[in-house]
Each structure stands twice: as structure tokens, then as C-alpha cells.
Amino acid sequence: MLELTIEQISMGQSAVDKPAALQLLADHLVADGLVADGYLAGLQAREAQGSTFLGQGIAIPHGTPETRDQVFATGVRLMQFPDGVDWGDGQIVYLAIGIAAKSDEHLRLLQLLTRALGETDLGQALRRASSPEALLKLLQGAPQELALDAQMIGLGVSADDFEELVWRGARLLRQADCVSNGFAGVLQQVEALPLGDGLWWLHSEQTVKRPGLAFVTPDKPMRYLGQPLSGLFCLASLGEAHQALLERLCALLIEGRGHELGRATSSRKVLEVLGGELPADWPSARIALANAHGLHARPAKILAQLAKRFDGEIRIRIVDGQDSAVSVKSLSKLLSLGARRGQVLEIIAEPSIAADALPALLAAIEEGLGEEVEPLPAVSQQREVIADIAEVLSAPTSGSLLQAIPAAPGIAIGPAHIQVQQTIDYPLRGESAAIERERLKNALADVRQDIQGLIERSKAKAIREIFITHQEMLDDPELTDEVDTRLKQGESAEAAWMAVIEAAAKQQEALQDALLAERAADLRDIGRRVLAQLCGVQTPAEPEQPYILVMDEVGPSDVARLDPARVAGILTARGGATAHSAIVARALGIPALVGAGAAVLLLKPGTPLLLDGQRGRLHVDADAATLQRATEERDTREQRLKAAAEQRHQPAHTTDGHAVEVFANIGESAGVTSAVEQGAEGIGLLRTELIFMAHPQAPDEATQEAEYRRVLDGLAGRPLVVRTLDVGGDKPLPYWPIAKEENPFLGVRGIRLTLQRPQIMEAQLRALLRSADNRPLRIMFPMVGSVDEWRQARDMTERLRLEIPVADLQLGIMIEVPSAALLAPVLAKEVDFFSVGTNDLTQYTLAIDRGHPTLSAQADGLHPAVLQLIDITVRAAHAHGKWVGVCGELAADPLAVPVLVGLGVDELSVSGRSIAEVKARIRELSLTQTQNLAQQALAVGSANEVRALVEAL
Ligand code: PEP
Ligand code: MG
């Protein structure tokens, strides 16, 4: 992004004329490695098309689109010419800003400059500036204005207490892009100031991007610190921007008119009283900007000139943008919009001139404002997945056999139900508001009826509830009111509906509350349903019998919503076996194949499919004999599982008497009951971050203690292995903002993160120790990569243990990072145990993102390189009398069980559903046989070879 800094400025330059100045600039850009030599020709060509003189002694020379390939890196260089350079037409330049940009980044620069361009006599001041700092200050211009408009006022908002009201105020500021995420938390720490008349004031400068004021009133009488509370101001403070407003507010309070604000029923009233930006009830019109490089200086100049012909006020804003409308007559204000191709502009004109001005301005914009414009394509709601792939691929034919990644075991047979989002094109403008309103009304009624059908058919309560929420959303008056406003402005029902849905979904996503933020997906879901109805696009009906769901990619929440009674199997074009969606599929017991390739999306709906989730095979329209074999196999497997289930509470010994413990992985405390019921001999991995995620904010020590107690109570003396909070990477915690990282998987996650926030870690450890009551508690730390991290975590725990003694406590680490495995001989002297997290260990060993849409197929934990690391770990542990568990997904893979047992792993921790099967598998093996197998596996070169060795066992 282009920003201005003092390093870019060269003071006191001189050039006899414009070509000499351009040469000088080009030399400078070349010398700094921003552009190639040929860029000078681009600068010259651009000036030949039209002067880049901006006004106020500033020119912004830049290349043409044809010379963009001469740009190596985006950047600017500023040259001060105190003697001036004639830029043509008698315009004198004192500052030339040479821009090297690959795209339209110079629009951003124009935005930065526009505040300065509004100043008088800037040119002379630039000429006289004696230092880069002074020059930069001049360019940064006047202080930013305080943002205060109707969108920043929330009247009668539902709030149960002061904190909630603060949160609502902060949210308005966030939506107006005045502050970053986390401002609500900042305000909660600030002491509120009572202003009298029931009004309260809060302000902070932290995380503020631009100054803004929000005002919120509660929907019911409220008190705070013993005083009435009828309205709250939340100020995002920056510099002096709020000074004038504060003075007006003081005057108002002195006049005893403060209660007018608390009682206001319209934002207009509040703005009138405070002197904010009044919403204009003027006629308006909208148009999408088609100019290739947006509203840059030349077209903006033409638009401003045209507007000046009308004797009255005309404003313009970007629809869905954050900024308020600006005068079309001001070039600098127009440039400050930074409007790009494709953005929709709204032009608002004073009623006396609107009838003439609006059509004239619309026509001028449509014609390109002096530039040749390529018409914008019709709006497409979705990337055209099917059409793209159909060009290069064809659907698998009848009888074909495809190999994919086994993600959840089991055999599933059923018709294909393809769920791919199709492109839906729709017009932006409608026929008339009345017609569009009627169309939307009918579409909403049809969708409501469809959803009612789904509610009646769904057996699972959780799924029914999702659809009931969808119906409520369809009836939400806030949505329909906003759509209606857009219809009145001439938008089509489709465009208005989708714009409102998208805006609401974005707002929802920005919330601090994870559960509420999830509603964004629901909003988009109903948004698409209604759009499809409006455009007459048929969504394939769900087959009556259990079907195989075919999707491009499937998220964990998609899987969680599935009704296992209707979905016999899952097949995805992309994804990998350790992606969290695959983990959820396994937990639900739905056979799944992932990463089958894009061609499966071209299957005809209803094509009979046979899916083998164990071997990773997909048969398309299989012949009768294959189906017969598969059905028999499925039945045998079911019988085997039934027999295994009967033995689930028995320990697992190999045929030669070697015991391997089988524990369960759980993510919520309530999961302990079914884990024990399914035969778990303990909990081998309690993913505590899932407990944190299930709470709208970080659970305090007491809440955590209750959760951990519940697990230990449920275990009735069996051991509990708890992993301390593991967030970051693929596990975000919505209310715990983590600085954005280029590569979060290699960033601050797991133990690195919690060691940086010791109070959170200490609270968790205290809660754990308190919950133990001398029952067997094992605590392990995630993502440990160095001995030092382990020691810090251990020392912290031991210190707390002095305070809260626990008799049966072991401390260990997860082996998820290759460095930890390689250091196992050192670590084994100090830890009590290791638990191998094969999901992450595989990812880091093979350098393949575990959720990578195409590569994760190769992230197979049976890769000999991963097995070598497990071997090192087990040997080191056993040499010091310590035990090793495996709690990654590999532990439940029937082909991996013999290898892990052969490597000497003492405990396997798997999802509850897999316990009986894993135990049964162990009982079929002899230790000697598995040890031989493991040695062979360590000696081959690929995961496939290892799998082949096991198959041959
Ligand atoms: C692992 O990485 O193998 C593991 C068990 O942890 P998670 O899947 O929660 O990252
Ligand atoms: Mg992990």
C-alpha cells in the first residue's frame, strides 16, 4: 500500500522543464529499484494523454497501464522543486510525486492527499518547506473530522446492563471503521463519566483508526453506579476532532436540555441537537462506476465540472462504503472517495435541481467521464465452479473406480446429491419498486414454505432449530425495511436483497461473540435460497432415501449440521483427512472420502455411488456383483463392530499378552459420559480450547474448575489427560484477538501463546489442580518445540502445585513439532509422559498444511518420516521409564494401529466411536508380529509402501 514517509522525499531539486523533471524522477525510481528503465516512457506517455497536475502546486506523474509491467515494486518518490517547474498551461509544480504502481494504488495516495488539497496556499507552503518533516506535515493536511452520522446512533437498543450498552456503542464505532476489534474491551476498562440528565460518557484513544462518536440509548430504564442511565456516548478519540462537539454538548447540558438526547426517538433528532451530519431526505440515484482505474483525477475533474453547472448542492457517496457523502463539486473530496471500478455510487441532489442534475450526472458517469469504458459484467453471485471445471474435466463414467483420501471409515451406498453453489446472474436495476417488492414477497413466501417442509422432515432437534432460525431471519423487519429503501432507489429485488444480506452477514461476522458470528453463514444460506427463488434457479431436491452428499469442500459446521439419518456418506472434491471437518465426520460416524478431485462435482444428481471410507475408494454406478460384495462387506463390518462393541469394556491385549490402553479424545466436558460408555479406559486428550470456544467469553477459574470436575467425576477414578489451551493456527478463539500473522501455523500458537499470557495459563492450571481432588490428573502442554518452553510451563505448574497440592499428577508434553521429537532423549529425563499429536506432527514434518485443499491428501501420518520421529520418542521415553500415547487421528486408523503398537506406543487415544474397533484390532495382533512390521515400515520410503505392508499382514 502506498503511504507517505520522509525517506521518500528529496528536497531542493531543480529542473528546467517538465521533461527534465520527469527524467529526474524516473532516474530516482530506477535507482531505488522500483521500476525498470522503460518506465520513463510511461511517465511521458501519461503526460501526453493529459497533465497529471493535481492543483496546489502538486503533480502526480505515473505510468500508463501499458508500462505497469515495468514496475518491480509499488512505491512513491517525492521531489520538491522550490523554483517551480512549468507543467503546461501555466501550472507551476513545486512538488512532484512520482508513483510506481502495479494497479490502482495511486487512488489511495490521492485519498491521502485530498485533505491537504483542501487547504489554501498549499503550493506556496510546499515551496517554502525546509525539511522533509515539514513537507510531510503539510501533505497530511487538516486534522480528521469527527465521524458522527445516523449510522452511529443506536436508540432503544436491547441491553441488559451497562457493559452490554458499551458493547453496542463500540460496535457502532467498529462498523463505521473508526476503531479496530477489541475497542469494546478497551472501553470496558475505562471509567465512565456521568454528564448529568442520565447521560454518560466514555472515551479512549486505543485502537482508534479515525475519530468518531457513537450514541446509544437502552430499550428500558437503566441505572449505573446508583444513577440513572438514559444515554451513553462512546468516543473514539483522536486529536482534537471532538472538541467542537464537546463544547456543543456542554452548552446543551448547561441549558438543561440533556434529557432531549436520552428521550430521542429518531437519530435525526439526536443529530440536530448535536450538530452531526444530517441524513438528507433528498432524491438520489445510483450507478456502478465502470472506469477501469476508478474515479481518478481526470474523470473526477469532469464530474466536478459538470456538477458545478447546477445551482444547488449535490453529494456523492460509495454505497456500502464507510464514508459519508461528499460534495460532487469538490475535486479533492471526489478523489478522497477512492472509488474503484465496480463500486456503486449514490448521487444525492437538492430537490430543486435533482430532476435535471441526477440524469445528467448519471449519463456522464455511464459514458465514462471522458474515458472509454468497458461495461461492467452482470453481477454474479458466486464463482462459477461447475462451468470452470466442466471445461477441462468430465464426470466419472459409469463403472469407474476413483481413489480418494479415506476420511471416515465405513461403506456407504446411495444416490449422489451434488451440492455446488451455482452462479446466479441478476440485474442491478429493477423495473419498478412495486413490481420488485411483489417479486420479493412471493420469493420469500415460497422459501418460507420450503423451510417449513425441512423443519417437518428433520428428525434431529438441533437441525430443526437451525431451520426455525432461518425462518425467523426471513421475517426480520430490519432486513426487509432496508431492502425496501433500496427498492425505492431503483434496485432490483435480487440486488437489494443480496446487498442487505451481505451487509448483515458482514456485521454479524465482525461481532465479538462466536455464536452470534456464526449466524453470518445462516444469513448467507437464506440469502442464496431467496436469490435462487427470485431467479427461478432450481436447487436439486434432497433425495428421499439416504444419499451420498457430494461437495467441493465441507467445513466442520456443515458436517455438524448434517442429519446422519439422511446422509449415508460424504464425498468432497477437496480437503484432507486431518481437516477438522473429517474429524467431525468420524465423530458422527458418517463414512467419508475427501480430496476426490473436482470431476466428482460433475456427477449427475442421483448417480448411484458406492463409497468405501476405509480404503478411500469410490465406485460410480457399480455393477451388481460389486454392490453385492460391498453390501456383504458392510454387513460383515457391522457385525464385526457389533462384536467389538460387546467387548468394549474389556482391556485390549495382543494375542501374546501385551496391554495397550485405549483412551478417548473429547472436546466438551459432557462428552465424558459417552466416552466411558463406549469403552474408554480414560480420557487421553481433553481439548480444552473447545471448552473455551463454547463460552461467549473466556471462562473464569471457577467455571473452568466446574468443567474439569465434571470430566473427572464422569471418569470415576480413570485417568484424565488434559491439554492446556491450544489456540492460534487453525484454532482461533473469537474473543481473544491474536495479531494477524503472515503464517499463523508457524506463529504464536499453542504453548507459545499461553506463555505470553501467563495469567490465562495460571488460571487454567489452578482450575485444573483444584478440580483434581487427588484423582489421576495428567496435564500436557501443546506445541512444545523447545526444552525451555517445557521448563517454563512445568515451573509454573509446580509453583501453583505448592499452593494447591495434588497427589496423583503427571506433567507431559505433546509431540507435535519435529524439534520436540528430536529432543525427546533430553526431554524424557524431565517429563512424565509424551503424547504424540500426529495431526500436527505430520503437518510440520512433511511441510503440508493439514487443511490444505489439495495437498493434505499427502499428509499421511504413516509416512516413514513421521514414524521415525515416533520411534525416537518411544525409545527415549522407555529408556527413562516414561510412557507414550498417540492422540492424533492416526491412532484410530485401523491400518496404523499395528504399526503404532509395534513401535511400542503404550496408549492410543481416539474418538469414542473408534474405541471398540481399535481394541478389537489390537486383540487380533501379536506384539512380535507388529514389532517386525514396524521395523519394516521404518525402512521404506513412502506412506503408501507402509500401507501396503500392513495390508499384507
Ligand atoms: C494433533 O495435532 O495431532 C492433535 C491431537 O491436536 P489437534 O488436532 O487438536 O491440533
Ligand atoms: Mg495439534
Side-chain angles (χ1 to χ4, degrees):
M1 184 187 282
L2 288 179
E3 299 292 345
L4 296 176
T5 64
I6 50 170
E7 291 75 29
Q8 302 156 346
I9 303 176
S10 306
M11 303 295 290
Q13 305 289 307
S14 67
V16 288
D17 54 16
K18 181 164 154 180
L22 292 178
Q23 177 76 56
L24 212 56
L25 261 176
D27 289 348
H28 203 21
L29 291 169
V30 171
D32 284 354
L34 296 176
V35 298
D37 282 341
Y39 199 63
L40 174 61
L43 296 182
Q44 290 162 342
R46 176 61 186 79
E47 296 294 338
Q49 287 170 2
S51 163
T52 61
F53 183 76
L54 202 60
Q56 299 272 23
I58 302 177
I60 49 162
H62 51 279
T64 57
E66 292 72 39
T67 47
R68 278 186 185 163
D69 55 356
Q70 307 274 328
V71 176
F72 301 134
T74 294
V76 285
R77 291 295 177 267
L78 289 76
M79 288 194 166
Q80 183 206 33
F81 295 106
D83 300 333
V85 178
D86 187 344
W87 220 256
D89 296 334
Q91 287 162 332
I92 304 298
V93 165
Y94 298 108
L95 179 71
I97 305 178
I99 303 173
K102 288 189 174 161
S103 62
D104 298 328
E105 288 129 313
H106 64 289
L107 283 177
R108 159 80 184 145
L109 190 65
L110 292 177
Q111 264 185 303
L112 287 174
L113 288 175
T114 46
R115 272 192 281 141
L117 286 171
E119 314 266 296
T120 47
D121 268 351
L122 177 67
Q124 289 306 317
L126 289 171
R127 173 190 203 174
R128 285 194 300 270
S130 56
S131 67
E133 288 80 3
L135 199 134
L136 196 60
K137 210 158 174 203
L138 287 169
L139 291 178
Q140 280 158 350
Q144 276 180 284
E145 278 172 32
L146 182 78
L148 172 61
D149 60 23
Q151 272 72 46
M152 299 172 77
I153 294 172
L155 300 180
V157 300
S158 113
D160 288 332
D161 52 25
F162 183 73
E163 275 189 5
E164 214 172 329
L165 201 60
V166 173
W167 185 76
R168 302 293 295 246
R171 191 176 142 206
L172 294 176
L173 289 167
R174 171 80 193 87
Q175 283 165 0
D177 204 29
C178 290
V179 296
S180 313
N181 281 336
F183 189 69
V186 169
L187 282 191
Q188 304 283 8
Q189 311 296 325
V190 174
E191 203 173 318
L193 191 69
L195 300 176
D197 288 345
L199 299 175
W200 289 75
W201 176 272
L202 273 176
H203 74 269
S204 176
E205 293 182 352
Q206 277 184 51
T207 81
V208 172
K209 296 198 214 163
R210 62 178 190 129
L213 182 73
F215 179 65
V216 278
T217 63
D219 59 347
K220 43 190 165 302
M222 210 182 249
R223 295 183 75 77
Y224 183 58
L225 300 180
Q227 297 188 42
L229 164 58
S230 56
L232 170 70
F233 291 98
C234 297
L235 173 72
S237 167
L238 201 68
E240 305 291 299
H242 57 280
Q243 215 49 45
L245 178 281
L246 202 57
E247 280 164 20
R248 265 197 306 278
L249 187 57
C250 287
L252 196 81
L253 291 165
I254 292 166
E255 287 167 30
R257 291 175 51 208
H259 56 268
E260 286 179 27
L261 289 167
R263 287 186 207 147
T265 51
S266 77
S267 40
R268 174 174 272 275
K269 172 77 193 165
V270 176
L271 292 170
E272 265 168 15
V273 175
L274 291 175
E277 173 124 0
L278 278 182
D281 299 329
W282 294 348
S284 66
R286 293 178 177 201
I287 184 163
L289 186 72
N291 295 56
H293 307 302
L295 197 56
H296 62 95
R298 270 187 306 150
K301 213 183 245 179
I302 293 177
L303 188 62
Q305 278 162 359
L306 177 61
K308 282 183 193 151
R309 289 199 212 142
F310 298 94
D311 198 9
E313 207 178 324
I314 313 175
R315 297 190 206 164
I316 187 166
R317 69 179 191 102
I318 299 176
V319 175
D320 302 328
Q322 306 285 3
D323 296 331
S324 13
V326 300
S327 168
V328 187
K329 296 181 180 178
S330 154
L331 176 60
S332 59
K333 291 267 159 60
L334 271 183
L335 292 174
S336 75
L337 288 175
R340 293 170 190 279
R341 175 176 159 89
Q343 284 187 313
V344 178
L345 303 172
E346 182 173 39
I347 306 173
I348 309 145
E350 222 178 285
S352 59
I353 54 163
D356 295 330
L358 291 180
L361 292 173
L362 284 192
I365 296 174
E366 193 155 19
E367 280 160 21
L369 298 167
E371 293 188 324
E372 286 234 345
V373 290
E374 177 102 350
L376 291 165
V379 177
S380 282
Q381 204 275 327
Q382 254 295 326
R383 191 167 53 96
E384 178 68 279
V385 183
I386 291 285
D388 281 357
I389 56 176
E391 276 179 19
V392 283
L393 295 174
S394 51
T397 50
S398 247
S400 53
L401 174 65
L402 269 73
Q403 187 66 40
I405 308 157
I411 287 172
I413 300 170
H417 178 47
I418 324 281
Q419 257 188 28
V420 185
Q421 295 201 346
Q422 309 168 31
T423 303
I424 305 181
D425 290 338
Y426 55 82
L428 281 176
R429 314 284 303 166
E431 280 190 48
S432 76
I435 295 178
E436 298 301 306
R437 198 174 292 126
E438 189 62 20
R439 290 182 56 229
L440 184 62
K441 197 174 120 206
N442 293 338
L444 288 172
D446 290 342
V447 171
R448 207 171 287 122
Q449 201 178 341
D450 283 354
I451 297 181
Q452 186 57 34
L454 290 173
I455 295 174
E456 282 158 20
R457 283 204 338 243
S458 303
K459 293 199 183 65
K461 182 164 166 267
I463 295 170
R464 263 201 316 276
E465 276 168 4
I466 290 171
F467 290 131
I468 292 172
T469 317
H470 284 194
Q471 278 201 327
E472 279 165 13
M473 286 176 176
L474 285 177
D475 295 331
D476 184 343
E478 259 189 51
L479 287 185
T480 34
D481 285 357
E482 279 181 48
V483 172
D484 210 59
T485 312
R486 286 174 171 263
L487 294 182
K488 284 187 201 140
Q489 285 162 341
E491 288 190 18
S492 66
E494 293 89 340
W497 171 254
M498 289 311 284
V500 170
I501 287 285
E502 192 47 38
K506 282 210 179 106
Q507 268 185 22
Q508 211 64 45
E509 272 167 348
L511 298 183
Q512 297 287 308
D513 183 321
L515 292 176
L516 290 178
E518 269 178 17
R519 271 192 52 203
D522 291 301
L523 274 165
R524 293 201 173 98
D525 204 349
I526 58 158
R528 262 197 76 81
R529 268 179 196 268
V530 174
L531 179 68
Q533 189 69 36
L534 277 168
C535 299
V537 173
Q538 300 284 333
T539 31
E542 271 192 29
E544 281 305 318
Q545 79 242 63
Y547 54 83
I548 311 272
L549 180 65
V550 185
M551 296 175 90
D552 183 23
E553 218 179 348
V554 52
S557 65
D558 294 326
V559 183
R561 282 159 189 241
L562 296 179
D563 185 350
R566 302 192 51 76
V567 181
I570 298 172
L571 171 68
T572 70
R574 297 194 277 169
T578 51
H580 280 124
S581 48
I583 298 178
V584 179
R586 270 192 292 278
L588 282 174
I590 303 178
L593 289 184
V594 295
V600 296
L601 300 175
L602 301 172
L603 282 166
K604 242 175 79 203
T607 308
L609 297 180
L610 160 59
L611 178 155
D612 182 341
Q614 170 94 47
R615 299 193 186 85
R617 286 187 200 147
L618 176 77
H619 295 263
V620 179
D621 197 7
D623 56 42
T626 314
L627 269 181
Q628 174 69 24
R629 262 198 317 278
T631 317
E632 279 166 20
E633 198 179 319
R634 183 179 62 185
D635 295 346
T636 320
R637 180 176 143 82
E638 270 166 19
Q639 275 163 17
R640 223 163 30 92
L641 288 183
K642 220 165 135 211
E646 277 160 22
Q647 299 279 305
R648 67 189 186 280
H649 291 301
Q650 306 306 318
H653 289 112
T654 57
T655 50
D656 43 2
H658 170 72
V660 181
E661 287 179 312
V662 184
F663 280 28
N665 292 349
I666 59 169
E668 51 172 12
S669 51
V672 66
T673 320
S674 81
V676 169
E677 212 295 305
Q678 286 167 310
E681 295 168 85
I683 295 296
L685 169 63
L686 170 62
R687 288 183 161 101
T688 56
E689 62 281 354
L690 296 180
I691 291 180
F692 273 63
M693 284 176 200
H695 286 268
Q697 58 203 31
D700 60 17
E701 207 177 301
T703 314
Q704 286 190 61
E705 186 186 330
E707 294 267 15
Y708 305 142
R709 251 179 208 289
R710 190 167 171 193
V711 182
L712 282 157
D713 291 349
L715 282 169
R718 296 174 185 85
L720 164 63
V721 184
V722 182
R723 170 170 82 189
T724 58
L725 195 56
D726 181 16
V727 289
D730 61 337
K731 305 186 185 86
L733 197 53
Y735 47 80
W736 192 2
I738 297 167
K740 200 168 156 31
E741 291 175 299
E742 202 51 41
N743 195 340
F745 277 103
L746 300 182
V748 185
R749 60 170 300 203
I751 191 74
R752 290 181 191 152
L753 184 62
T754 37
L755 284 175
Q756 284 182 10
R757 308 197 184 189
Q759 30 347 343
I760 294 191
M761 180 143 170
E762 284 197 10
Q764 180 172 39
L765 290 170
R766 273 207 192 88
L768 279 168
L769 298 177
R770 281 194 212 289
S771 69
D773 278 347
N774 297 334
R775 294 173 286 189
L777 175 66
R778 320 297 169 231
I779 299 177
M780 62 182 178
F781 306 104
M783 302 299 302
V784 170
S786 71
V787 178
D788 195 43
E789 282 166 348
W790 144 251
R791 286 185 186 153
Q792 281 188 58
R794 177 199 58 192
D795 292 349
M796 185 188 284
T797 319
E798 293 296 358
R799 182 166 44 77
L800 296 170
R801 194 180 177 184
L802 295 177
E803 238 177 77
I804 314 162
V806 176
D808 190 357
L809 175 68
Q810 292 185 8
L811 298 181
I813 62 166
M814 288 196 67
I815 300 286
E816 299 177 284
V817 183
S819 61
L822 295 167
L823 281 178
V826 180
L827 286 160
K829 293 183 205 151
E830 302 180 18
V831 302
D832 294 318
F833 68 96
F834 292 124
S835 180
V836 187
T838 47
N839 306 338
D840 277 312
L841 185 63
T842 308
Q843 151 168 278
Y844 293 118
T845 305
L846 303 183
I848 297 176
D849 177 347
R850 61 194 271 185
H852 193 284
T854 53
L855 288 180
S856 52
Q858 295 161 46
D860 188 336
L862 276 184
H863 194 289
V866 180
L867 299 180
Q868 292 282 2
L869 293 174
I870 300 178
D871 185 48
I872 296 175
T873 307
V874 175
R875 283 169 190 274
H878 289 179
H880 291 91
K882 311 293 167 64
W883 62 271
V884 180
V886 172
C887 62
E889 291 306 304
L890 194 69
D893 180 341
L895 289 185
V897 171
V899 182
L900 295 175
V901 172
L903 287 173
V905 169
D906 305 282
E907 173 245 51
L908 296 173
S909 191
V910 299
S911 80
R913 274 181 183 276
S914 303
I915 292 173
E917 197 183 2
V918 169
K919 282 187 173 179
R921 185 79 185 108
I922 295 168
R923 292 187 196 112
E924 289 166 0
L925 307 163
S926 82
L927 181 62
T928 356
Q929 175 193 30
T930 59
Q931 282 170 337
N932 288 337
L933 171 74
Q935 288 316 306
Q936 288 174 43
L938 288 172
V940 295
S942 72
N944 284 344
E945 285 169 84
V946 176
R947 289 194 178 272
L949 285 172
V950 189
E951 297 255 29
L953 197 65

